[in-house]
Amino acid sequence: MAYRETEKMRMRKAEARQRIVSCAYQCVAKSGFHSARVTTIAAMAGVATGTIYRHFESKEDLFAEIFRLATQREVDKVAEALSTQGDATVRLEAALRQFAERALRGPVMAWSLIAEPVDPKVEEERLAYRQAYAELFEKAISEGIEEGCIPEQDARQSSTCLVGAIAESLVGPLSPAQAASQAEPINDNYEPLVNSILRFCIQGLTGTRR
Amino acid sequence: MAYRETEKMRMRKAEARQRIVSCAYQCVAKSGFHSARVTTIAAMAGVATGTIYRHFESKEDLFAEIFRLATQREVDKVAEALSTQGDATVRLEAALRQFAERALRGPVMAWSLIAEPVDPKVEEERLAYRQAYAELFEKAISEGIEEGCIPEQDARQSSTCLVGAIAESLVGPLSPAQAASQAEPINDNYEPLVNSILRFCIQGLTGTRR
DNA sequence: ACAAGAAATGAATAATGATTCACTGTTTAA
DNA sequence: TTAAACAGTGAATCATTATTCATTTCTTGT
């Protein structure tokens, strides 16, 4: 035997893989899973099309990894916001703000994660993603119920409403504007919009006027 | 000239067109725009593939018409519910119930109308659809604000949250279950689910515990 | 420098599905 | 009954992309 995989090679391969992942991520963030082409990703990453298939079984597998990555970031941020000081309502508000602001800053990716139709393997990841959120919010809502700052309710169902209200608030604006406003970050000042959404969400949860 | 379109022919053509529309509608209702095949629709309608193109410029045009049709039904129902007796909150609740129940009864079509990615011409119809809802709910919310039963707020934004909360509550359950629960009507008893969603929505609007 | 093994390449292939169009069948008015 | 005009047909075409694989290029240990 004359060839043995060496550290240097392992590194180089890892770098290529990383570059592929990063470019795929950018493509998805720019226009969603559906329009992300394997060929384009390869070109961006400076490798041949076939090389993608040395690192990933299939497009689906690559995308599943992208989904997982993107998801992890989002869920972590929300979990972080939920684990700060304050009563459940305050923590939930912080978490929802985090969720909404991040979604508004990257609406295409947010839409891809929440609602874009994707292949089965990616859909599986989405199930995990939904459950991660559902569990996080559910836990916080349940804590709020125990603390007494949130009235009795189906925590899982409320969590779904929260995600939906926020998602629709950004998917709606996204759809028609697409070509026109996609180039720019749409709007610098999300504050009023986010406040408006949050007021609705928190009222929906607590039934207390804000 | 030896041939002139006669009433009989006009009728026959209209029937064929109607059959195409109806079959296309069924296909979309069963699995969304994306998986509705021109060939399948033609077969269902008992005509050749090419015949579809004698009645519609393109698949996109056919689908735009389907979207418009489906949309009209939904918007009409909501408008009807909004024009009954009672104060704004009561009317809104009736309308939201109508919206939610219909969506739950036909979740695939609901998802197609609300969030499925579609071609530009269909997307245009969606814009009109969104605006129709936005205007209906907005008007009712504004009336509620004048009546004093709903506090001051951005009516358009709230309307978006309403639609989102309901949509997500049915899209979520839809996604993973797909194959498994699509055969049956999922569940006969929507009452508790709908009540739960509505509580959240009305609280979100009014900030008053239900 | 060499040969064995691996990695990279990208043009060719395969699969899918909308759309076309040359042809066949029908309807109409004279 | 005939021919002009139209309607219907569906196999063939075109377009789009993921995926493959024979070939080339690079790495490594001797």
Side-chain angles (χ1 to χ4, degrees):
Chain A
M1 49 159 168
Y3 178 96
R4 186 77 66 83
E5 184 179 67
T6 183
E7 192 52 32
K8 178 181 152 202
M9 263 293 115
R10 225 187 321 276
M11 290 278 273
R12 192 186 292 182
K13 278 206 277 176
E15 272 163 32
R17 194 194 145 95
Q18 179 46 45
R19 221 164 45 243
I20 291 167
V21 165
S22 153
C23 293
Y25 189 97
Q26 286 173 27
C27 284
V28 173
K30 174 166 291 176
S31 24
F33 287 102
H34 181 69
S35 22
R37 311 262 165 263
V38 173
T39 313
T40 310
I41 293 166
M44 269 176 82
V47 298
T49 317
T51 303
I52 301 257
Y53 290 85
R54 306 208 139 257
H55 294 275
F56 300 91
E57 276 285 314
S58 67
K59 188 193 174 187
E60 246 185 297
D61 284 83
L62 168 57
F63 282 6
E65 176 149 341
I66 301 304
F67 197 101
R68 225 175 297 128
L69 257 169
T71 276
Q72 198 59 58
R73 286 191 198 178
E74 301 305 314
V75 170
D76 284 353
K77 288 284 175 187
V78 165
E80 194 187 314
L82 274 178
S83 66
T84 54
Q85 291 285 306
D87 70 10
T89 311
V90 169
R91 286 180 288 128
L92 268 165
E93 182 158 353
L96 291 172
R97 186 176 295 278
Q98 190 71 246
F99 180 74
E101 276 173 359
R102 292 184 60 83
L104 282 164
R105 239 185 288 278
V108 178
M109 181 56 92
W111 176 73
S112 288
L113 297 185
I114 292 165
E116 184 181 3
V118 291
D119 296 34
K121 273 186 186 166
V122 182
E123 186 64 38
E124 258 183 67
E125 297 296 328
R126 172 130 75 206
L127 183 58
Y129 165 72
R130 279 185 192 284
Q131 279 177 351
Y133 271 125
E135 275 157 32
L136 282 176
F137 286 138
E138 214 181 313
K139 180 155 166 288
I141 295 172
S142 298
E143 285 168 10
I145 294 172
E146 277 182 38
E147 286 175 25
C149 63
I150 295 177
E152 198 72 44
Q153 64 195 278
D154 179 337
R156 176 68 63 119
Q157 180 53 47
S158 296
S159 141
T160 305
C161 288
L162 294 175
V163 172
I166 295 174
E168 180 71 10
S169 294
L170 65 100
V171 166
L174 182 67
S175 279
Q178 272 188 346
S181 69
Q182 207 162 74
E184 305 136 65
I186 294 178
N187 191 339
D188 253 339
N189 187 17
Y190 306 118
E191 277 296 302
L193 174 55
V194 172
N195 287 337
S196 178
I197 300 171
L198 283 196
R199 197 186 40 71
F200 185 94
C201 287
I202 298 293
Q203 285 187 177
L205 280 176
T206 64
T208 306
R209 190 167 317 171
R210 289 280 148 154
Chain B
M1 50 156 168
Y3 179 95
R4 186 76 66 83
E5 184 179 70
T6 184
E7 192 51 32
K8 179 183 151 199
M9 264 294 116
R10 225 188 321 278
M11 289 278 273
R12 190 187 294 180
K13 278 206 279 176
E15 272 163 32
R17 192 193 146 98
Q18 180 47 45
R19 223 165 43 244
I20 291 167
V21 165
S22 154
C23 294
Y25 189 98
Q26 286 174 41
C27 284
V28 173
K30 175 167 291 176
S31 24
F33 287 101
H34 181 68
S35 24
R37 310 263 166 263
V38 173
T39 312
T40 310
I41 294 166
M44 269 177 81
V47 298
T49 317
T51 304
I52 301 257
Y53 290 85
R54 301 206 148 259
H55 292 276
F56 299 90
E57 277 285 313
S58 67
K59 188 193 173 187
E60 244 185 297
D61 284 84
L62 168 57
F63 283 6
E65 178 150 340
I66 301 305
F67 196 101
R68 223 175 300 128
L69 258 170
T71 277
Q72 198 60 58
R73 286 191 197 179
E74 300 306 313
V75 170
D76 285 353
K77 289 284 176 188
V78 165
E80 194 186 313
L82 274 178
S83 66
T84 54
Q85 290 286 304
D87 70 10
T89 310
V90 169
R91 287 180 287 129
L92 268 164
E93 183 159 354
L96 290 173
R97 186 177 294 278
Q98 189 72 244
F99 180 74
E101 276 173 358
R102 291 184 60 83
L104 282 165
R105 239 185 287 278
V108 178
M109 180 56 92
W111 176 72
S112 288
L113 297 185
I114 292 165
E116 184 181 2
V118 291
D119 295 34
K121 273 186 186 165
V122 183
E123 186 63 40
E124 259 183 66
E125 298 296 326
R126 173 129 74 205
L127 183 59
Y129 166 70
R130 281 187 191 282
Q131 278 177 351
Y133 270 125
E135 274 157 32
L136 282 176
F137 287 137
E138 215 183 311
K139 181 156 165 288
I141 295 173
S142 298
E143 285 166 12
I145 293 172
E146 276 181 38
E147 285 175 25
C149 63
I150 295 175
E152 198 71 44
Q153 63 194 278
D154 178 337
R156 178 66 65 118
Q157 180 52 46
S158 296
S159 140
T160 306
C161 288
L162 294 175
V163 172
I166 295 173
E168 180 71 11
S169 294
L170 64 98
V171 167
L174 182 67
S175 280
Q178 271 188 345
S181 69
Q182 207 161 76
E184 306 137 65
I186 294 178
N187 190 339
D188 253 340
N189 187 17
Y190 307 120
E191 276 296 304
L193 175 55
V194 172
N195 286 336
S196 178
I197 299 172
L198 283 196
R199 197 186 40 71
F200 185 94
C201 286
I202 297 295
Q203 284 187 177
L205 280 176
T206 65
T208 305
R209 191 168 315 171
R210 289 277 147 154

